[in-house]
Amino acid sequence: GLLVSAPEAERMIERLKEYPLEAVGSAPWMEQHDWVEKLNLQAHHNAQTHSDEFVMESLVSFDKMSVLVHELLAIEVWKGKVLPHLMKHLANKVDSVTSYLLLYHEATVANLLEVSLFHSHAAEACSEDAMLELVDWCHRKMIYLNNEAHYDANPPDKTKEEWLKQSSEDAFEDKQKEINFGVGMAALSILRYLTDHVKVLPLGVVGRMVNSCDVLMALVPLVDKPPWVRRRKGETQKFVQNKWTTVERAERMRLTPADAQVWLAVNNLVVDAAFA
C-alpha cells in the first residue's frame, strides 16, 4: 500500500527547504526529516513495484533535488564538526530515538537521492553547483569505502558481558559506524548513476569527476578489496540489501549489487567517450 499518496507527497516536497547547521535537531528540522523518511520509503516502494514514481517526479517538478543535496551536505558537516562535541550529551542525556534520527538523516537523504537519481531527468534537475558538490561528496565516500569502511565493517567480536558493560557512548559510536557504512554504499550507487547520466550533466561536473576527483582511481581499489565482503568466524559474509549475509562456498564468486555498481561505473568511465 501507499505510505504517502501522491497529493501528500507533493505537499511535503513543496515545503522542503534548506536548513542551516544551527537548525539541525530543531522541531521544524525534525518534521522535515520525518517527511524525507516517508518520501524515501514511498520512493523505494514505487521503484520496487514499478509503479508511478510520483515522489521522484515531484522532486523534479518542484525543483527540490538541489535542496536534498544541500541537506545531505549540511548533515555531513554537522556530523563531522558538531557531533563530536555533542556525542557525550546525545549518548547519555537524549533519548535514543532522537539521537538515532540525527545520525540516520544522512542515510535517509542519500537513499532518497539514490532512488531518484536512477533517472537521468532527476540528475538534470539538479543545479550545476549542487551536482559539483554531490560529486565531491561521492568522492569523499569512496575514500571512506577504501579506508575506514574496512574497520567499520569488521568490528571486534564482543562477549555477552562486554555488550552488557558497553557504555552509551560506545553504543552510539557503533551505531554511527554502521550508518556511515550504509551511507557509503548509497554513495556508490549515486556515483554509478551519475556516470550513467554523463550526457545530461554539465561539462564542469564531468570534469570534476574525471580530473579533480578522479573517481576512476577511487573505484578501482574497490574491485580488488571491497569492504562489503568480510570473514567472520570462518565464514564469508557479504553486505547485501543493507544487512550482512553469510555466503555459501559455491556462491562466493557471485557478484553483489555493490560489485556490479563498481564495475558498471568503471565501465562507463573507461568506455564512454564523454569521459575521454
Side-chain angles (χ1 to χ4, degrees):
L2 291 176
L3 184 67
V4 290
S5 65
E8 286 174 319
E10 284 186 10
R11 281 196 296 275
M12 289 177 186
I13 289 167
E14 195 172 9
R15 293 165 67 189
L16 292 179
K17 58 184 278 191
E18 297 178 357
Y19 279 99
L21 281 184
E22 55 268 24
V24 172
S26 64
W29 186 93
M30 282 293 198
E31 184 179 32
Q32 179 157 296
H33 169 82
D34 186 52
W35 296 342
V36 173
E37 184 70 54
K38 288 176 179 175
L39 292 168
N40 178 45
L41 291 171
Q42 186 60 53
H44 276 84
H45 173 78
N46 292 350
Q48 287 165 359
T49 56
H50 304 288
S51 51
D52 177 25
E53 297 199 35
F54 56 81
V55 173
M56 180 273 298
E57 295 294 353
S58 295
L59 285 167
V60 172
S61 299
F62 289 106
D63 196 21
K64 297 295 183 179
M65 290 296 295
S66 298
V67 172
L68 288 181
V69 174
H70 174 276
E71 289 303 284
L72 186 71
L73 297 169
I75 196 65
E76 181 196 26
V77 172
W78 186 88
K79 284 170 72 174
K81 303 293 185 183
V82 180
L83 180 60
H85 301 287
L86 295 177
M87 193 172 292
K88 187 177 287 188
H89 174 76
L90 288 171
N92 296 305
K93 304 289 186 184
V94 178
D95 66 275
S96 57
V97 173
T98 302
S99 57
Y100 179 75
L101 289 180
L102 289 167
L103 286 181
Y104 196 65
H105 187 66
E106 187 180 14
T108 305
V109 178
N111 286 153
L112 182 52
L113 279 169
E114 177 189 358
V115 73
S116 300
L117 288 169
F118 176 79
H119 303 275
S120 62
H121 61 289
E124 211 171 352
C126 286
S127 69
E128 182 170 355
D129 284 347
M131 267 298 164
L132 288 168
E133 293 291 353
L134 186 59
V135 169
D136 286 346
W137 178 84
C138 287
H139 184 243
R140 290 193 291 275
K141 299 306 175 188
M142 294 310 101
I143 293 170
Y144 162 79
L145 287 177
N146 280 307
N147 294 283
E148 296 102 311
H150 288 279
Y151 301 101
D152 291 352
N154 281 285
D157 289 322
K158 292 177 182 171
T159 62
K160 289 179 183 176
E161 291 75 20
E162 286 173 325
W163 278 113
L164 290 170
K165 289 178 183 176
Q166 189 178 40
S167 69
S168 300
E169 288 167 60
D170 287 340
F172 189 84
E173 203 168 323
D174 286 348
K175 181 58 70 177
Q176 187 180 1
K177 289 176 180 177
E178 185 184 314
I179 291 169
N180 287 346
F181 190 82
V183 170
M185 299 297 281
L188 178 60
S189 295
I190 291 171
L191 184 57
R192 177 242 147 158
Y193 296 148
L194 294 184
T195 65
D196 279 348
H197 306 325
V198 63
K199 289 180 176 61
V200 302
L201 296 180
L203 278 175
V205 176
V206 178
R208 184 68 65 93
M209 275 198 270
V210 175
N211 299 319
S212 306
C213 293
D214 197 359
V215 293
L216 179 60
M217 286 299 102
L219 287 166
V220 168
L222 296 174
V223 174
D224 182 50
K225 196 176 180 186
W228 49 86
V229 180
R230 70 182 187 185
R231 294 282 294 173
R232 302 287 275 189
K233 298 177 181 176
E235 294 182 323
T236 298
Q237 295 183 336
K238 295 187 178 184
F239 193 78
V240 180
Q241 293 184 331
N242 290 318
K243 63 179 186 291
W244 289 100
T245 308
T246 299
V247 180
E248 299 299 326
R249 184 180 292 274
E251 297 290 313
R252 283 183 189 172
M253 299 307 291
R254 185 189 290 270
L255 291 180
T256 66
D259 293 313
Q261 298 289 34
V262 174
W263 280 108
L264 289 167
V266 167
N267 179 70
N268 287 341
L269 289 160
V270 171
V271 174
D272 198 312
F275 288 112

